[in-house]
Amino acid sequence: MTAGERAARPLLRGRTALVTGAARGLGRTCAVRFAEEGADLVLVDVCGDLAGVPYPLGSGSQLEQTAKLCREQGAAVVTVTADVRRPEDVEEAARQALDRFGGVDVLLNNAGIAAPSGKAVHEIAEDEWDLMVGIDLTGAWRTMKAVVPAMVEQRSGSVINVASTAGLVGYRHFAGYVAAKHGLIGLTKAAALDYAPFRVRVNALCPGSVRDDPLSEGRMLAEIARSLDVDVDEHEEIFVQSQPMNSLMEPRDIAGAALWLAGDDSRQVTGTTLTVDGGFSAR
């Protein structure tokens, strides 16, 4: 194979990726990027609002839009409605992936919430803490528990846990989110050691402040701003002020990093934390 042929070959051709939180935002952008590089997709989302989360979550129609965009790239796509807090939902998503495609090569644990937040530690209610940790940390563990055994059996796979710079530093009035994301990085490191003998890689991806791109229908940054009582009309400009490179991350920046972790160019990379934050956490 020539260098030109290698360059033209889709990086994920013949592989299947399961993406949680796929209805919109980073989940959608990463799924479409994987499809562009030849992957088939299992797209998972809760497809509805949850009690205690103070903003709308991804909808069924948004998940179908993600599926449409992936199919336009030539991908075979399965969509699954699942709440990552429910073991039976997650197990069903894994079952559908195995039944349709025979295996899963890439797991992108992207499902997550940013609120309820905006409170000091002692003000956080028990149910608020449980909700945050249950989705952002335990949900990722639960999905790994359902999907990774098939990767172990096939002796290959890449798990990408979408953490955050909140998994590296602290943020005032975001203790639940910070704790969950720190825990996710710890889970990543431990799982990497568990599965390294089976050539299954586990890495964490830590985005910085990502712009809410209308095409992906993301709204995470706006919800973080709301929790901090930042004017939503000015929140992008305010967040930029803390960025060493004087710009927000774009969803495609995160998708590019996820693609690298999913593909063969990172075949010796496991247990690491890949930070895409424009230098924010370097200070």
Side-chain angles (χ1 to χ4, degrees):
M1 181 182 293
T2 67
E5 289 172 333
R6 285 194 297 271
R9 185 180 187 275
L11 297 176
L12 299 181
R13 186 173 67 185
R15 301 185 189 183
T16 299
L18 189 153
V19 179
T20 67
R24 67 184 188 196
L26 289 181
R28 174 182 290 179
T29 304
C30 290
V32 173
R33 189 73 184 91
F34 289 172
E36 290 172 351
E37 290 295 336
D40 294 322
L41 278 301
V42 180
L43 304 176
V44 181
D45 203 278
V46 69
C47 295
D49 297 340
L50 296 177
V53 180
Y55 59 91
L57 298 178
S59 67
S61 62
Q62 288 175 317
L63 184 62
E64 289 306 319
Q65 175 63 13
T66 302
K68 176 178 180 290
L69 293 171
C70 291
R71 291 185 179 115
E72 288 173 352
Q73 299 300 323
V77 180
V78 171
T79 59
V80 184
T81 298
D83 183 339
V84 296
R85 300 174 301 170
R86 295 170 54 87
E88 59 271 29
D89 285 9
V90 175
E91 290 163 7
E92 175 62 16
R95 185 192 66 77
Q96 290 200 37
L98 296 177
D99 286 351
R100 175 65 177 83
F101 298 112
V104 176
D105 303 289
V106 180
L107 169 59
L108 183 74
N109 269 320
N110 173 70
I113 57 174
S117 295
K119 298 179 179 179
V121 170
H122 71 280
E123 296 172 328
I124 301 171
E126 290 274 350
D127 59 345
E128 292 174 328
W129 180 272
D130 290 343
L131 179 63
M132 181 67 70
V133 174
I135 294 174
D136 287 15
L137 175 56
T138 308
W141 163 78
R142 188 169 287 122
T143 308
M144 289 173 60
K145 183 178 174 69
V147 173
V148 169
M151 293 180 169
V152 168
E153 186 174 346
Q154 69 191 22
R155 293 300 194 270
S156 67
S158 175
V159 178
I160 305 163
N161 292 323
V162 180
S164 166
T165 53
L168 304 171
V169 301
Y171 288 98
R172 182 173 177 266
H173 288 174
F174 271 79
Y177 187 72
V178 167
K181 294 302 187 180
H182 271 73
L184 185 56
I185 291 175
L187 172 63
T188 296
K189 292 179 179 294
L193 296 177
D194 286 348
Y195 299 119
F198 306 101
R199 306 300 298 175
V200 175
R201 301 181 293 109
V202 188
N203 293 288
L205 179 55
C206 290
S209 296
V210 180
R211 188 174 68 86
D212 292 333
D213 179 8
L215 293 177
S216 66
E217 300 185 86
R219 59 181 301 161
M220 181 70 78
L221 194 63
E223 291 306 324
I224 291 173
R226 186 194 56 77
S227 294
L228 293 171
D229 292 325
V230 172
D231 188 335
V232 174
D233 292 333
E234 301 176 357
H235 76 285
E236 289 192 1
E237 180 180 345
I238 291 171
F239 281 116
V240 164
Q241 293 174 7
S242 65
Q243 302 301 313
M245 294 185 71
N246 298 314
S247 64
L248 298 177
M249 309 311 106
E250 297 292 338
R252 64 177 179 272
D253 298 327
I254 313 306
L259 176 63
W260 182 73
L261 288 173
D264 290 341
D265 284 348
S266 61
R267 63 187 178 275
Q268 293 292 345
V269 178
T270 194
T272 196
T273 302
L274 178 57
T275 305
V276 185
D277 69 350
F280 174 84
S281 60
R283 297 176 303 175

